[in-house]
Amino acid sequence: MSAQHEIRTEQLRSGYGARVVVDGVDLVVPSGRISVIVGANACGKSTLLKTIARLLPAQDGAVVLDGRRIDTIPTKELARTLGLLPQQPVAPEGIVVTDLVGRGRHPHQKLFRPWTTADDQAVTSAMAAAGVLDLADRAVDELSGGQRQRVWIAMALAQSTDVLLLDEPTTFLDVSHQIEVLDLLTDLNRTRGTTIVMVLHDINLAARYADHMVALRAGRVVADGPPHAVVTAELVREVFALDSLVVPDPVSGAPMVLPRGRHHVGIAPGGALDGVADPSSAAASLAPALSSALSPTSDVLERP
Amino acid sequence: MAALLDSLPAVSDADVERVRAGRRRRSRRRTVALVVLSVLAVALFAAMLMLGNTIYPVSDVLAVLRGEDVSGASFAVGTLRLPRALTAVLAGAAFGVAGSTFQTMLRNPLASPDVIGITSGASAAAVLSIVVLKWSGTATMGLSLAVGILTALVIYLAARGGDSTGGRLILIGIGVGAMLDSVVAYLLLKAAVWDLAVATRWMTGSLNGSRMEDILPLAIAVVVLVPIVLFLARDLGALELGDSWATALGVRVDRTRVLLVVAAVALACVATATTGPIAFVAFLAGPIAARIVGPGSSVVLPAALTGACLVLAADLLGQFAFDTKFPVGVITGILGAPYLIYLLVRTSRRGGSA
């Protein structure tokens, strides 16, 4: 299992030049758990992750790893503990999957030390864990978006870090690939005990996959804790300026946000929820209509 | 180390073996390609020494290289052809390393120092120093280097805030390069240089009139700076993935980038001050080398060899393939221009950077 690491931020302030994006954030990242940072566009969630990953310097306060400020830890040593999957990375032209994943070994290699068996083993297991072993000799350019994202995750895994930070790992993926990536990260967390911190756009997927959620608004933490404590209608209104209904997700039981926009809102607030909250009854009421619609023309399609 | 590996899922030895075999296959190809390029460079170098108005056999050439006095050959080979061939190898290697470093770091094949105007800056400085001010070789080197680095700095500052693959930097660089090229033309006109050889040298690059005593600064630059770039090649490979990945992999991004840029600019500038801006060698060497060694590995050393082969081969063609003798830059220019057009077309079709 992965070693335990304590990551804290203390009155962290960061941003881009004079523009302060994250201001006064005190956060403790639970070790060995999946933490997800959520918030509206431009609330500072990516900036916070980037500062924890030392891509941006702290303007004030500090990011502390196991009691040491990260800006005092040698970069290579830090790279053996803290891995990062940046947003939308671009692979060198024509590079083969194995070679790209192999670049994740960088912090473990020395200038004049040849490639070792340990490196080969780490690369192979990383590819197996990310489910890209079959693609080992393919060029990264030829792969689909979902496959490519798994290759990047494999590269981050080959780095063999106990902590993995991911900046919107599901952006630009279709829904099945989003689930695939999040399931893979959950596997890693459960089998290796890897501490995972990620930024996600989709609050429902965040609530489903997170052990711990952090909600940001205007660069400050509004709420943090387990999803059922964080994701409430009041919080969604405060963070996203959105009127919504929060119900238990019928698949996972995690809180699920159903936004109320200006259109297509048929049920009054607090009104008849029964049909929505109970998926089995909804499905049951739909089934006869579906089968009667299909059966006259096709017996094959009719369910037994 | 062991603890880290324990935390990853176990995989079968057969899988590890398969992954290792693939990696070894690619590294064998790279080794074979490097050997082939080296042999080619040596063969072209030998051809440069043997061919000319009089063709000398290998035995005579070797005798001259050993320092023996061979009538006729000692002058033709020792004084005329050897400096020319050495200059070709050193300048080719310098341009190749400079170009491939820039292209890899900015992740864009258009970003080589000859396309983005850095060699034009060095060339303008060299013309000013040699043709107008009549300065010495060392002073010329210093001025070229200073102006080259200044040009790089101006382009960088003007392009700041653009994307990391340098689309904006390249366009600004092409503009700055065009301005500096006209400075070269202006200085040549002002100095009333009616000598075609001098003019072509500073506009397209030439090996005519290479002398042993002019080689030293270039030789020192190649011997000192190429190993520095090779030393940083693995970090350059991380930078190729973008600043975020490079930081995540433990590379000190700013320091590494400054070192690489200074080394690459210095190589390009010293080579330019020696031979003039030999057209497109920096631009072509990296992509050709990448095709030869295969993708995914460092292109620095292959690009040095490819650059040397390009300059040697182009100079042999320029000297012997046609009725008229052409300076080397004319031949490399003819080779490079179609590739530049291809990349520009590809860039505009994608609506972004190449």
Side-chain angles (χ1 to χ4, degrees), chain B residues 226-302:
Chain B
V226 172
I228 289 179
V229 178
L230 285 173
F231 187 78
L232 293 169
R234 263 168 28 84
D235 289 348
L236 179 59
L239 278 178
E240 190 183 8
L241 302 172
D243 290 2
S244 301
W245 260 122
T247 307
L249 292 173
V251 175
R252 292 168 68 175
V253 172
D254 291 334
R255 193 188 67 167
T256 308
R257 192 171 18 226
V258 166
L259 276 173
L260 283 168
V261 167
V262 169
V265 169
L267 281 167
C269 290
V270 175
T272 303
T274 310
T275 65
I278 303 179
F280 294 136
V281 173
F283 172 59
L284 287 173
I288 294 175
R291 285 283 141 76
I292 296 173
V293 296
S297 63
S298 166
V299 87
V300 176
L301 189 57

XYZ file of all heavy atoms in Angstrom, chain B residues 226-302:
543
model
N 27.514 21.462 -27.056
C 26.758 20.263 -27.447
C 26.671 19.266 -26.281
O 25.577 18.759 -25.991
C 27.314 19.626 -28.745
C 26.640 18.284 -29.020
C 27.108 20.575 -29.925
N 27.772 19.005 -25.560
C 27.633 18.118 -24.390
C 26.677 18.667 -23.334
O 25.965 17.899 -22.688
C 29.057 18.031 -23.836
C 29.931 18.317 -24.992
C 29.182 19.315 -25.834
N 26.633 19.998 -23.175
C 25.693 20.568 -22.198
C 24.257 20.240 -22.604
O 23.434 19.825 -21.795
C 25.899 22.098 -22.071
C 27.222 22.380 -21.348
C 24.733 22.744 -21.308
C 27.547 23.844 -21.191
N 23.972 20.418 -23.898
C 22.614 20.119 -24.365
C 22.324 18.618 -24.233
O 21.231 18.218 -23.804
C 22.408 20.596 -25.824
C 21.010 20.237 -26.304
C 22.621 22.097 -25.932
N 23.323 17.777 -24.552
C 23.133 16.329 -24.413
C 22.871 15.960 -22.950
O 22.038 15.122 -22.643
C 24.364 15.571 -24.911
C 24.529 15.501 -26.429
C 25.876 14.882 -26.791
C 23.400 14.685 -27.056
N 23.595 16.633 -22.057
C 23.449 16.438 -20.618
C 22.013 16.748 -20.183
O 21.460 16.119 -19.291
C 24.443 17.377 -19.933
C 24.564 17.216 -18.451
C 25.298 16.170 -17.920
C 23.967 18.120 -17.596
C 25.423 16.030 -16.551
C 24.085 17.977 -16.227
C 24.817 16.927 -15.702
N 21.393 17.738 -20.836
C 20.031 18.168 -20.484
C 18.965 17.490 -21.351
O 17.782 17.820 -21.248
C 19.907 19.685 -20.631
C 20.723 20.530 -19.651
C 20.716 21.990 -20.076
C 20.160 20.387 -18.242
N 19.391 16.531 -22.195
C 18.459 15.959 -23.176
C 17.241 15.307 -22.514
O 16.124 15.414 -23.010
C 19.181 14.962 -24.067
N 17.470 14.633 -21.362
C 16.338 13.975 -20.700
C 15.355 15.006 -20.149
O 14.140 14.829 -20.224
C 16.841 13.062 -19.587
C 16.959 11.596 -20.011
C 17.722 10.751 -19.018
N 17.647 11.242 -17.653
C 16.643 10.977 -16.804
N 15.656 10.218 -17.179
N 16.651 11.460 -15.598
N 15.899 16.092 -19.604
C 15.020 17.159 -19.119
C 14.285 17.821 -20.285
O 13.127 18.215 -20.161
C 15.822 18.211 -18.352
C 16.303 17.675 -17.001
O 15.814 16.603 -16.596
O 17.150 18.314 -16.377
N 14.985 17.926 -21.419
C 14.349 18.482 -22.617
C 13.171 17.599 -23.031
O 12.117 18.100 -23.430
C 15.383 18.583 -23.753
C 14.913 19.116 -25.105
C 14.345 20.519 -24.984
C 16.054 19.107 -26.111
N 13.352 16.274 -22.892
C 12.268 15.334 -23.188
C 11.057 15.571 -22.294
O 9.917 15.404 -22.720
N 11.300 15.978 -21.038
C 10.185 16.281 -20.127
C 9.541 17.614 -20.505
O 8.320 17.753 -20.499
C 10.673 16.310 -18.681
N 10.370 18.598 -20.890
C 9.832 19.905 -21.297
C 8.949 19.774 -22.537
O 8.020 20.542 -22.743
C 10.971 20.879 -21.622
C 11.642 21.587 -20.450
C 12.777 22.459 -20.964
C 10.633 22.444 -19.700
N 9.282 18.772 -23.364
C 8.516 18.540 -24.591
C 7.058 18.217 -24.259
O 6.165 18.420 -25.080
C 9.157 17.372 -25.351
C 8.626 17.163 -26.746
C 9.251 15.946 -27.407
O 9.975 15.185 -26.725
O 9.024 15.760 -28.613
N 6.808 17.701 -23.045
C 5.447 17.351 -22.641
C 4.704 18.559 -22.085
O 3.543 18.446 -21.695
C 5.484 16.243 -21.588
C 6.184 14.958 -22.010
C 6.315 14.015 -20.824
C 5.430 14.275 -23.135
N 5.373 19.716 -22.030
C 4.740 20.907 -21.477
C 5.298 21.210 -20.100
O 5.806 20.324 -19.414
N 5.186 22.474 -19.693
C 5.754 22.911 -18.415
C 5.152 22.176 -17.224
O 5.849 21.857 -16.269
C 5.533 24.417 -18.224
C 6.395 25.232 -19.174
O 7.122 24.618 -19.978
O 6.322 26.468 -19.107
N 3.832 21.894 -17.297
C 3.179 21.252 -16.156
C 3.738 19.856 -15.930
O 4.110 19.495 -14.815
C 1.678 21.157 -16.395
O 1.142 22.427 -16.595
N 3.803 19.081 -16.994
C 4.355 17.732 -16.863
C 5.805 17.795 -16.404
O 6.235 17.015 -15.548
C 4.296 16.967 -18.182
C 3.162 16.004 -18.295
C 2.197 16.005 -19.253
C 2.862 14.874 -17.445
N 1.320 14.965 -19.033
C 1.706 14.262 -17.946
C 3.467 14.344 -16.302
C 1.136 13.133 -17.351
C 2.903 13.221 -15.699
C 1.746 12.629 -16.221
N 6.575 18.702 -17.001
C 7.994 18.788 -16.653
C 8.152 19.064 -15.160
O 8.954 18.427 -14.477
C 8.674 19.867 -17.487
N 7.347 19.996 -14.631
C 7.399 20.286 -13.197
C 6.997 19.060 -12.401
O 7.646 18.693 -11.419
C 6.444 21.449 -12.852
O 6.742 22.549 -13.702
C 6.595 21.874 -11.410
N 5.915 18.408 -12.846
C 5.439 17.217 -12.135
C 6.513 16.130 -12.109
O 6.596 15.354 -11.172
C 4.171 16.679 -12.795
N 7.347 16.080 -13.157
C 8.386 15.046 -13.233
C 9.664 15.478 -12.510
O 10.671 14.786 -12.570
C 8.701 14.717 -14.693
C 7.573 14.004 -15.457
C 7.917 13.885 -16.936
C 7.294 12.631 -14.862
N 9.627 16.638 -11.873
C 10.769 17.043 -11.051
C 11.833 17.828 -11.792
O 12.955 17.948 -11.315
N 11.496 18.382 -12.974
C 12.462 19.196 -13.709
C 12.341 20.644 -13.231
O 11.233 21.142 -13.036
C 12.182 19.140 -15.230
C 13.092 20.083 -15.994
C 12.352 17.715 -15.726
N 13.490 21.296 -13.022
C 13.435 22.725 -12.679
C 13.301 23.501 -13.976
O 14.275 23.826 -14.647
C 14.681 23.114 -11.902
C 14.672 22.452 -10.527
C 15.967 22.552 -9.839
N 16.288 23.926 -9.464
C 17.353 24.249 -8.747
N 18.191 23.314 -8.358
N 17.591 25.501 -8.447
N 12.038 23.776 -14.313
C 11.677 24.222 -15.660
C 12.419 25.491 -16.089
O 13.059 25.515 -17.133
C 10.151 24.421 -15.767
C 9.779 25.067 -17.082
C 9.454 23.073 -15.633
N 12.341 26.551 -15.263
C 12.917 27.831 -15.691
C 14.418 27.736 -15.909
O 14.944 28.191 -16.920
C 12.597 28.925 -14.670
C 11.114 29.257 -14.673
O 10.483 29.033 -15.729
O 10.599 29.714 -13.650
N 15.103 27.117 -14.942
C 16.559 27.010 -15.044
C 16.970 26.196 -16.274
O 17.834 26.593 -17.047
C 17.113 26.354 -13.778
C 18.601 26.480 -13.643
C 19.118 25.660 -12.487
N 18.947 24.232 -12.740
C 19.534 23.285 -12.022
N 20.278 23.605 -11.004
N 19.347 22.022 -12.313
N 16.293 25.054 -16.476
C 16.612 24.190 -17.604
C 16.373 24.917 -18.923
O 17.179 24.850 -19.844
C 15.739 22.915 -17.552
O 15.877 22.339 -16.272
C 16.161 21.921 -18.613
N 15.253 25.653 -18.980
C 14.924 26.324 -20.229
C 15.948 27.424 -20.553
O 16.387 27.547 -21.692
C 13.512 26.894 -20.189
C 13.085 27.319 -21.568
C 11.655 27.713 -21.714
N 11.009 28.007 -20.480
C 9.809 27.547 -20.165
N 9.170 26.787 -21.007
N 9.270 27.874 -19.025
N 16.329 28.190 -19.540
C 17.302 29.249 -19.784
C 18.625 28.652 -20.294
O 19.210 29.119 -21.276
C 17.537 30.101 -18.514
C 18.777 30.968 -18.659
C 16.320 30.962 -18.236
N 19.083 27.578 -19.631
C 20.328 26.931 -20.057
C 20.233 26.458 -21.503
O 21.142 26.681 -22.320
C 20.627 25.720 -19.160
C 21.341 25.999 -17.851
C 21.410 24.725 -17.016
C 22.756 26.504 -18.148
N 19.120 25.806 -21.827
C 18.963 25.265 -23.184
C 18.890 26.381 -24.225
O 19.508 26.286 -25.285
C 17.702 24.390 -23.256
C 17.833 22.997 -22.634
C 16.461 22.343 -22.503
C 18.752 22.112 -23.477
N 18.133 27.437 -23.903
C 17.993 28.532 -24.867
C 19.346 29.200 -25.102
O 19.749 29.434 -26.244
C 16.955 29.578 -24.396
C 17.045 30.843 -25.228
C 15.553 29.005 -24.496
N 20.071 29.483 -24.019
C 21.362 30.153 -24.175
C 22.327 29.271 -24.987
O 22.989 29.741 -25.914
C 21.961 30.517 -22.798
C 23.412 30.958 -22.936
C 21.135 31.620 -22.147
N 22.367 27.967 -24.661
C 23.261 27.070 -25.402
C 22.875 27.009 -26.873
O 23.735 27.110 -27.768
C 23.224 25.673 -24.782
N 21.579 26.879 -27.154
C 21.129 26.750 -28.542
C 21.372 28.047 -29.319
O 21.857 28.023 -30.463
C 19.643 26.372 -28.586
N 21.050 29.188 -28.695
C 21.259 30.470 -29.377
C 22.756 30.680 -29.639
O 23.162 31.091 -30.735
C 20.676 31.637 -28.552
C 21.126 32.977 -29.113
C 19.164 31.571 -28.534
N 23.594 30.340 -28.646
C 25.035 30.523 -28.824
C 25.551 29.656 -29.971
O 26.331 30.120 -30.809
C 25.769 30.193 -27.527
N 25.118 28.407 -30.039
C 25.551 27.525 -31.127
C 25.149 28.109 -32.480
O 25.956 28.187 -33.408
C 24.936 26.131 -30.962
C 25.606 25.210 -29.941
C 24.727 24.003 -29.658
C 26.972 24.759 -30.462
N 23.891 28.539 -32.586
C 23.408 29.074 -33.856
C 24.166 30.351 -34.233
O 24.526 30.555 -35.400
C 21.905 29.343 -33.781
N 24.439 31.200 -33.246
C 25.077 32.486 -33.532
C 26.547 32.312 -33.926
O 27.021 32.949 -34.865
C 24.979 33.413 -32.324
S 23.306 33.969 -32.023
N 27.274 31.474 -33.188
C 28.683 31.281 -33.517
C 28.817 30.630 -34.895
O 29.664 31.023 -35.702
C 29.390 30.440 -32.421
C 30.817 30.127 -32.817
C 29.364 31.191 -31.103
N 27.950 29.665 -35.181
C 27.981 29.041 -36.507
C 27.672 30.082 -37.580
O 28.331 30.131 -38.627
C 26.988 27.883 -36.578
N 26.688 30.948 -37.325
C 26.329 31.977 -38.303
C 27.480 32.964 -38.519
O 27.763 33.364 -39.649
C 25.071 32.746 -37.838
O 24.013 31.813 -37.638
C 24.638 33.769 -38.868
N 28.148 33.332 -37.419
C 29.256 34.273 -37.546
C 30.416 33.655 -38.332
O 31.254 34.364 -38.877
C 29.731 34.715 -36.167
N 30.477 32.332 -38.399
C 31.552 31.656 -39.116
C 31.219 31.429 -40.584
O 32.034 31.679 -41.466
C 31.865 30.298 -38.439
O 32.033 30.517 -37.047
C 33.127 29.682 -39.022
N 30.010 30.952 -40.859
C 29.672 30.548 -42.234
C 28.563 31.382 -42.849
O 28.215 31.188 -44.010
C 29.168 29.086 -42.244
O 27.940 29.035 -41.504
C 30.181 28.145 -41.643
N 27.979 32.275 -42.071
C 26.745 32.902 -42.521
C 25.596 31.968 -42.183
O 25.822 30.823 -41.790
N 24.365 32.481 -42.297
C 23.207 31.671 -41.895
C 22.883 30.616 -42.956
O 22.057 30.845 -43.832
C 22.081 32.705 -41.792
C 22.481 33.786 -42.749
C 23.968 33.809 -42.797
N 23.536 29.437 -42.882
C 23.288 28.415 -43.910
C 21.810 28.034 -43.851
O 21.327 27.509 -42.855
C 24.177 27.168 -43.712
C 25.656 27.575 -43.713
C 23.917 26.156 -44.818
C 26.607 26.415 -43.497
N 21.122 28.352 -44.939
C 19.665 28.326 -44.932
C 19.095 26.984 -44.513
O 19.485 25.936 -45.036
C 19.146 28.705 -46.320
N 18.177 27.003 -43.562
C 17.308 25.873 -43.227
C 17.982 24.642 -42.637
O 17.330 23.618 -42.480
C 16.496 25.441 -44.453
C 15.513 26.471 -44.902
C 15.359 26.779 -46.252
C 14.733 27.158 -43.980
C 14.449 27.728 -46.667
C 13.818 28.117 -44.392
C 13.680 28.395 -45.745
N 19.298 24.681 -42.340
C 19.910 23.483 -41.763
C 19.347 23.241 -40.360
O 18.956 22.126 -40.000
C 21.443 23.583 -41.730
C 22.044 22.405 -40.978
C 21.981 23.627 -43.147
N 19.261 24.304 -39.566
C 18.699 24.182 -38.220
C 17.252 23.710 -38.288
O 16.792 22.918 -37.459
C 18.777 25.522 -37.494
N 16.553 24.174 -39.285
C 15.133 23.887 -39.465
C 14.900 22.429 -39.891
O 13.966 21.773 -39.440
C 14.613 24.874 -40.513
C 13.218 24.654 -40.993
C 12.153 24.679 -40.105
C 12.970 24.468 -42.339
C 10.872 24.505 -40.577
C 11.684 24.297 -42.800
C 10.625 24.313 -41.920
N 15.797 21.927 -40.771
C 15.587 20.596 -41.349
C 16.180 19.454 -40.522
O 15.643 18.345 -40.526
C 16.220 20.527 -42.753
C 15.514 21.268 -43.877
C 16.375 21.239 -45.129
C 14.171 20.619 -44.158
N 17.306 19.703 -39.853
C 18.054 18.599 -39.243
C 17.215 17.794 -38.241
O 17.196 16.560 -38.302
C 19.317 19.131 -38.567
N 16.493 18.494 -37.343
C 15.711 17.800 -36.313
C 14.644 16.884 -36.890
O 14.620 15.686 -36.593
N 13.739 17.436 -37.746
C 12.690 16.579 -38.315
C 13.243 15.401 -39.128
O 12.709 14.294 -39.031
C 11.901 17.544 -39.204
C 12.106 18.875 -38.585
C 13.493 18.863 -38.016
N 14.331 15.623 -39.900
C 14.908 14.514 -40.666
C 15.467 13.469 -39.694
O 15.227 12.267 -39.839
C 16.019 15.004 -41.623
C 15.418 15.904 -42.705
C 16.743 13.825 -42.262
C 16.450 16.542 -43.621
N 16.173 13.944 -38.668
C 16.759 13.030 -37.684
C 15.672 12.220 -36.982
O 15.824 11.014 -36.773
C 17.578 13.812 -36.660
N 14.541 12.896 -36.649
C 13.455 12.197 -35.956
C 12.888 11.072 -36.834
O 12.559 9.993 -36.349
C 12.354 13.182 -35.570
N 12.770 11.356 -38.152
C 12.306 10.308 -39.070
C 13.256 9.128 -39.065
O 12.853 7.972 -39.147
C 12.226 10.850 -40.507
C 11.080 11.746 -40.800
C 9.781 10.962 -40.969
N 8.665 11.678 -40.363
C 8.080 12.743 -40.915
N 8.472 13.172 -42.090
N 7.110 13.356 -40.305
N 14.568 9.412 -38.996
C 15.563 8.342 -39.112
C 15.643 7.509 -37.824
O 15.647 6.288 -37.882
C 16.954 8.933 -39.467
C 16.894 9.593 -40.849
C 18.014 7.836 -39.467
C 18.136 10.357 -41.231
N 15.686 8.155 -36.661
C 15.854 7.377 -35.423
C 14.530 6.860 -34.861
O 14.524 6.023 -33.976
C 16.580 8.151 -34.297
C 17.991 8.488 -34.697
C 15.803 9.386 -33.893
N 13.423 7.358 -35.375
C 12.133 6.916 -34.847
C 11.681 7.861 -33.751
O 12.495 8.517 -33.121
N 10.346 7.923 -33.518
C 9.821 8.894 -32.561
C 10.084 8.480 -31.116
O 10.395 7.319 -30.846
C 8.316 8.867 -32.841
C 8.071 7.492 -33.373
C 9.311 7.085 -34.114
N 9.993 9.461 -30.228
C 9.955 9.134 -28.810
C 11.279 9.212 -28.086
O 11.320 9.115 -26.882
N 12.393 9.362 -28.814
C 13.664 9.458 -28.102
C 14.307 10.807 -28.401
O 13.873 11.522 -29.294
C 14.590 8.323 -28.512
O 14.895 8.415 -29.880
N 15.357 11.116 -27.646
C 15.997 12.415 -27.808
C 16.576 12.554 -29.210
O 17.166 11.629 -29.763
C 17.115 12.583 -26.790
O 17.902 13.692 -27.174
N 16.411 13.745 -29.775
C 16.800 13.940 -31.157
C 18.080 14.784 -31.248
O 18.574 15.058 -32.325
C 15.592 14.559 -31.918
C 15.590 16.056 -31.827
C 15.533 14.078 -33.350
N 18.662 15.147 -30.085
C 19.792 16.076 -30.082
C 20.999 15.519 -30.856
O 21.489 16.147 -31.798
C 20.210 16.430 -28.639
C 21.444 17.313 -28.639
C 19.067 17.133 -27.918
N 21.463 14.334 -30.456
C 22.642 13.758 -31.103
C 22.373 13.421 -32.575
O 23.170 13.785 -33.447
C 23.108 12.533 -30.312
C 24.439 11.930 -30.720
C 25.551 12.970 -30.635
C 24.781 10.735 -29.827
N 21.248 12.753 -32.892
C 20.955 12.496 -34.303
C 20.872 13.786 -35.121
O 21.302 13.806 -36.287
C 19.589 11.803 -34.280
C 19.374 11.346 -32.901
C 20.266 12.117 -32.001
